[in-house]
């Protein structure tokens, strides 16, 4: 069943500016600038106040109306990214062969060696805006940090998928690099 109009209000914090033009969203904050295009979704944004926006969908069916919440959540994640940033911590899990990880190109590429005794060197490039470091407080831990939650989480997923055990029983061989903690760079 079509609804005539559905809308959701988006409130912007004081230290952040949000510009929406032609379904391109630009969020500027203390940690930097993020830009995303939502050209594939039909919606309307009306500025109702100095720090308030109204996201509106006209004549939408159920799945089209659901896009309102998606868009507002994506913009809220961008606001959180430019104010607090995102940080993922990944731990190495191994039973016999110790996983050796090197960070090259200034934190842009992760090299994984000796995974389950393999001689192959796996190279995982990080996406734009993601910096990777090895933890000093914890042994066998990587820290991925950045402003864009999509790029940080996708980089973590690529590292995890590169260390899948193949041709063995995955119930027994639990080796890999897994996300152990998700949080923000700026702690409250």
């Amino acid at each position: 069943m079509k609804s005539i109009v559905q809308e959701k209000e988006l409130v912007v914090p004081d230290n952040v500016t949000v510009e929406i033009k032609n379904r391109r969203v630009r969020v500027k904050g203390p940690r930097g600038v993020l830009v995303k295009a939502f050209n594939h979704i039909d919606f309307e944004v009306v500025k109702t106040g100095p720090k308030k926006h109204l996201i509106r969908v006209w004549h939408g069916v159920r799945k089209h109306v659901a896009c309102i919440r998606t868009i507002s959540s994506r913009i809220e994640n961008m606001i959180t990214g430019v104010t607090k940033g995102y940080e993922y911590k990944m731990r190495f899990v191994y039973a016999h062969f110790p996983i050796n990880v090197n960070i090259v190109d200034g934190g842009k590429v992760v090299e994984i060696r000796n995974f389950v005794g393999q001689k192959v060197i796996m190279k995982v490039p990080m996406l734009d805006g993601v910096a990777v470091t090895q933890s000093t407080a914890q042994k066998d831990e990587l820290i991925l940090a950045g402003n864009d939650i999509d790029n940080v989480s996708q980089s973590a997923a690529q590292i995890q998928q590169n260390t899948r055990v193949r041709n063995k029983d995955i119930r027994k061989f639990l080796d890999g690099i897994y996300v152990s903690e998700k949080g923000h760079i700026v702690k409250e």
Side-chain angles (χ1 to χ4, degrees), residues 16-163:
V16 176
T17 59
V18 174
E19 299 168 11
I20 303 173
K21 184 177 180 183
N22 296 337
R23 289 182 273 182
R24 285 179 58 86
V25 180
R26 185 176 184 271
V27 179
K28 184 178 179 185
R31 291 187 48 83
V33 178
L34 288 176
V35 178
K36 283 205 189 322
F38 296 102
N39 297 333
H40 59 288
I41 302 172
D42 288 331
F43 67 97
E44 177 184 45
V45 178
V46 179
K47 193 168 185 178
T48 57
K51 291 289 182 177
K52 290 186 179 179
H53 297 274
L54 198 65
I55 300 170
R56 188 181 291 155
V57 168
W58 291 90
H59 303 292
V61 290
R62 185 168 176 241
K63 291 196 176 190
H64 191 198
V65 170
C67 294
I68 298 172
R69 179 64 186 248
T70 302
I71 293 163
S72 66
S73 297
R74 296 283 300 267
I75 296 172
E76 287 166 7
N77 285 342
M78 291 167 72
I79 291 170
T80 305
V82 297
T83 53
K84 299 178 186 175
Y86 289 99
E87 182 180 75
Y88 279 39
K89 293 184 179 178
M90 302 186 79
R91 295 288 306 271
F92 308 167
V93 177
Y94 52 86
H96 185 269
F97 295 103
I99 300 171
N100 186 0
V101 172
N102 295 329
I103 298 164
V104 293
D105 292 341
K108 291 293 175 194
V109 176
V110 174
E111 284 185 350
I112 303 162
R113 300 168 189 266
N114 199 30
F115 176 68
V116 198
Q118 295 175 356
K119 300 295 181 198
V120 178
I121 300 170
M122 299 173 206
K123 294 183 180 180
V124 184
M126 296 293 103
L127 296 173
D128 292 337
V130 180
V132 68
T133 56
Q134 284 192 324
S135 176
T136 55
Q138 181 72 42
K139 181 180 175 261
D140 292 341
E141 186 175 60
L142 286 177
I143 298 172
L144 282 75
N147 291 345
D148 192 351
I149 191 171
D150 296 334
N151 288 354
V152 174
S153 59
Q154 185 63 44
S155 296
Q158 287 175 346
I159 291 173
Q160 183 172 336
Q161 286 179 344
N162 262 292
T163 57

